């Protein structure tokens, strides 16, 4: 019989989250972010958390909601250009920020989940990112040593999932979610559609349930669009 | 002098049949508008799509389908979606043939700066550092001078670097320039632009051949 990861709601899913923890949050921009879990983290009022997320949301949505409440002590991200409050807190020194190349961020999460403590990459060589990091030449080209990232909790959002924790993402909402699911000590998956066991095709699973500890049916998704670009009919 | 669309149109001439191409935010995004129909080219956006198509028709936009600039897009027939680690495996592993990106400064040895102005602006590097560190063919699309009229083609970058000795070609509103042997080499001038204007707007070392052709647009 399959192992069930299903929990009743977002409150049960976030049980055990405490101030001072390191949290991973999937998503790229506002695409594929765990909206329900973020709302619960705001409600819980936890403080001094370190958030690992490619972006920091916008001022009034996504991780911007946690920033507004000054709940975040440190951000580990690659691009934060869409959030004025973030920039203000960073330039004033209230918020500690570690900016790292996007590919290195993705691979550091993947490595964290895959049991690889560190790896060499050419990205960032000769820049501020390389400060204090080991440099080594491979095939005549310099690389820097980047270490794995893990988190106390990883929050991811999928399109479909089942009680076993198997996940399928939609389009570009996949982004960082699969790697972060791997790297969380406790990974919480929220899904738009929680389907009965056996309904998902095992050939089509993006994240196998072994990486997910808790899964719940999300609700009230806003799925806000950051840059609505269209052609007129 | 070219406008942003002109720069994109000129860069489109660099794209070859069968190439996978990553286009950065801003002017580079416009390059896709000038690829000749019938040419087999796929656009990669590093947030997780190969085979990126044009903006959707009004009403068809999907919050789950965006490009690296967070703009709503469509997927072409034959497109594929993937996670961020796979996306950067394509980039780091040199499976993408051409990268086009914007810059605040470029130096005569091919250094590029485009992610930070200390004390003023910090947006982050996004995927730019991974792209410039690994791509074999990097073209920078930018204006030749900044808003204050100062050259963006320098002997050394003054801003924090995104990558070192990586840019091969720069296309600006004034000219096409190659970077090799520690200097900018003037390749073409924009329509109506003189060599002297390019020389005046270029702070870094500039090599000018005896004859410099004007850009051709069909």
């Amino acid at each position: 019989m399959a192992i069930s990861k299903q929990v009743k709601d977002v409150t049960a899913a976030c049980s055990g989250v405490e101030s001072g923890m390191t949290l991973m949050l999937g998503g790229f921009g506002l695409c594929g972010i765990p909206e329900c879990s973020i709302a619960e983290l705001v409600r819980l009022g936890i403080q001094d958390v370190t958030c690992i997320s490619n972006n920091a949301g916008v001022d009034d949505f996504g991780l911007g909601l946690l920033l507004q409440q000054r709940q975040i002590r440190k951000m580990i991200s690659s691009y934060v250009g869409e959030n004025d409050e973030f920039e203000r807190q960073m330039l004033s020194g209230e918020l500690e920020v570690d900016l790292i190349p996007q590919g290195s961020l993705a691979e550091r999460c993947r490595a964290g989940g895959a049991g690889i403590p560190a790896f060499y990459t050419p990205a960032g060589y000769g820049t501020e990112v390389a400060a204090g990091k080991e440099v080594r030449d491979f095939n005549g080209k310099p690389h820097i040593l980047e270490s794995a990232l893990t988190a106390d909790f990883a929050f991811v959002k999928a399109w479909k999932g089942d009680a076993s924790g198997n996940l399928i993402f939609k389009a570009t909402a996949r982004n960082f979610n699969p790697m972060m699911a791997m790297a969380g000590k406790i990974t919480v998956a929220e899904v738009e559609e929680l389907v009965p066991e056996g309904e998902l095709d095992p050939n089509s699973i993006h994240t196998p349930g072994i990486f997910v500890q808790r899964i719940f049916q999300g609700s009230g998704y806003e799925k806000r669009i950051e840059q609505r670009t269209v052609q007129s009919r | 002098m070219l406008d942003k669309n002109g720069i994109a149109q000129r860069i489109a001439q660099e794209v070859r049949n069968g190439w996978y191409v990553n286009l950065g935010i801003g002017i580079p995004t416009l390059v896709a508008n000038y690829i000749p129909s019938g040419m087999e080219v796929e656009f990669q956006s590093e947030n997780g799509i190969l085979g990126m198509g044009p903006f959707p028709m009004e009403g068809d936009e999907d919050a789950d389908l965006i490009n690296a600039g967070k703009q709503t897009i469509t997927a072409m027939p034959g497109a594929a979606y993937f996670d961020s680690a796979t996306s950067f495996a394509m980039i780091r592993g040199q499976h993408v043939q051409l990268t086009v990106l914007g810059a605040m400064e470029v130096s005569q040895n091919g250094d590029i700066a485009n992610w930070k102005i200390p004390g003023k602006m910090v947006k982050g590097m996004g995927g730019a550092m991974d792209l410039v560190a690994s791509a074999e063919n990097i073209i920078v699309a930018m204006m030749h001078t900044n808003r204050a009229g100062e050259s963006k083609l320098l002997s050394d970058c003054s801003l924090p670097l995104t990558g070192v000795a990586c840019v091969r070609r720069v296309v600006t509103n004034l000219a096409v320039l190659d970077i090799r042997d520690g200097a900018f080499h003037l390749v073409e001038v924009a329509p109506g632009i003189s060599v002297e204007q390019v020389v005046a707007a270029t702070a870094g070392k500039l090599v000018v051949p005896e004859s410099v052709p004007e850009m051709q647009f069909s």
Side-chain angles (χ1 to χ4, degrees), chain A residues 65-83:
Chain A
L65 299 170
L66 283 171
L67 283 165
Q68 258 179 18
Q69 303 299 318
R70 313 275 174 93
Q71 292 175 266
I72 302 177
R73 183 182 62 79
K74 181 179 180 181
M75 282 292 311
I76 299 175
S77 304
S78 88
Y79 191 85
V80 294
E82 289 94 358
N83 191 321

Side-chain angles (χ1 to χ4, degrees), chain A residues 5-115:
Chain A
K5 313 292 176 67
Q6 192 177 342
V7 294
K8 187 166 99 273
D9 55 18
V10 66
T11 306
C14 293
S15 147
V17 178
E18 290 171 14
S19 294
M21 280 185 164
T22 295
L23 313 176
M24 279 182 183
L25 299 107
F28 178 92
L30 301 178
C31 181
I33 59 171
E35 291 184 24
C36 300
S37 298
I38 291 170
E40 179 66 8
L41 294 174
V42 172
R43 196 191 67 80
L44 286 171
I46 49 159
Q47 298 288 320
D48 295 321
V49 292
T50 295
C51 287
I52 303 170
S53 172
N54 187 59
N55 309 91
V58 295
D59 280 324
D60 61 346
F61 199 56
L63 279 185
L65 299 170
L66 283 171
L67 283 165
Q68 258 179 18
Q69 303 299 318
R70 313 275 174 93
Q71 292 175 266
I72 302 177
R73 183 182 62 79
K74 181 179 180 181
M75 282 292 311
I76 299 175
S77 304
S78 88
Y79 191 85
V80 294
E82 289 94 358
N83 191 321
D84 293 338
E85 176 61 14
F86 182 100
E87 199 160 13
R88 192 198 64 72
Q89 288 187 22
M90 173 166 57
L91 291 173
S92 72
E94 291 165 57
L95 180 68
E96 195 183 332
V97 179
D98 192 1
L99 286 170
I100 51 183
Q102 192 178 334
S104 298
L105 179 61
E107 194 64 17
R108 288 175 74 178
C109 295
R110 200 194 76 80

Side-chain angles (χ1 to χ4, degrees), chain B:
Chain B
M1 188 186 306
L2 301 178
D3 62 5
K4 290 178 177 184
N5 283 297
I7 294 172
Q9 193 174 357
R10 176 60 190 82
I11 290 174
Q13 296 173 8
E14 306 286 317
V15 178
R16 299 288 172 266
N17 202 60
W19 277 10
Y20 293 100
V21 179
N22 181 288
L23 301 176
I25 298 166
I27 301 173
T29 305
L30 302 171
V31 172
N33 299 336
Y34 298 100
I35 302 298
S37 63
M39 187 183 265
E40 293 183 6
V41 173
E42 286 193 29
F43 293 107
Q44 197 248 22
S45 201
E46 64 269 23
N47 58 311
I49 178 173
L50 261 178
M52 173 171 53
F55 296 150
M57 300 305 286
E58 209 170 343
D60 290 344
E61 59 272 26
D62 178 353
D64 290 328
L65 184 47
I66 64 170
N67 63 16
K70 283 93 178 178
Q71 298 171 312
T72 47
I73 53 160
T74 54
M76 300 293 284
Y81 303 123
F82 36 83
D83 64 59
S84 302
T86 305
S87 180
F88 282 91
M90 295 173 189
I91 290 163
R92 217 184 292 104
Q94 299 187 329
H95 305 280
V96 175
Q97 276 80 21
L98 173 65
T99 288
V100 184
L101 76 173
M104 297 173 189
E105 296 176 345
V106 174
S107 82
Q108 63 195 27
N109 73 334
D111 296 351
I112 175 173
N114 72 352
W115 71 282
K116 183 179 185 182
I117 303 173
K120 281 190 191 160
M121 186 283 289
V122 185
K123 291 190 182 304
M125 66 292 284
M129 282 193 185
D130 309 270
L131 282 158
V132 301
S134 293
E136 288 182 281
N137 196 0
I138 299 169
I139 299 177
V140 164
M142 66 176 191
M143 294 295 161
H144 212 98
T145 54
N146 63 21
R147 284 188 188 132
E150 300 157 337
S151 181
K152 295 169 72 173
L153 289 82
L154 308 171
S155 51
D156 289 290
C157 292
S158 64
L159 296 170
L161 295 180
T162 306
V164 293
C166 53
V167 178
R168 300 262 289 267
R169 178 162 271 205
V170 182
V171 179
T172 74
N173 50 330
L174 304 183
V176 176
L177 309 101
D178 279 348
I179 298 175
R180 62 175 186 274
D181 308 325
F184 296 103
H185 294 253
L186 186 55
V187 176
E188 294 173 9
V189 291
I193 296 296
S194 68
V195 168
E196 290 69 32
Q197 283 173 290
V198 178
V199 170
T202 306
K205 187 178 171 189
L206 177 65
V207 177
V208 181
E210 250 173 56
S211 94
V212 181
E214 190 176 284
M215 295 179 199
Q216 299 296 315
F217 295 99
S218 52

Side-chain angles (χ1 to χ4, degrees), chain A residues 82-160:
Chain A
E82 289 94 358
N83 191 321
D84 293 338
E85 176 61 14
F86 182 100
E87 199 160 13
R88 192 198 64 72
Q89 288 187 22
M90 173 166 57
L91 291 173
S92 72
E94 291 165 57
L95 180 68
E96 195 183 332
V97 179
D98 192 1
L99 286 170
I100 51 183
Q102 192 178 334
S104 298
L105 179 61
E107 194 64 17
R108 288 175 74 178
C109 295
R110 200 194 76 80
I116 294 170
F119 59 90
Y120 289 96
T121 176
Y125 170 75
T127 75
E128 285 179 12
V129 165
K133 290 173 184 163
E134 185 190 324
V135 176
R136 191 167 156 186
D137 281 14
F138 293 93
N139 305 319
K141 187 173 167 174
H143 293 70
I144 62 174
L145 186 66
E146 290 280 12
S147 57
L149 289 170
T150 56
D152 297 303
F153 275 82
F155 297 96
V156 302
K157 190 255 169 176
W159 179 31
K160 292 179 180 178

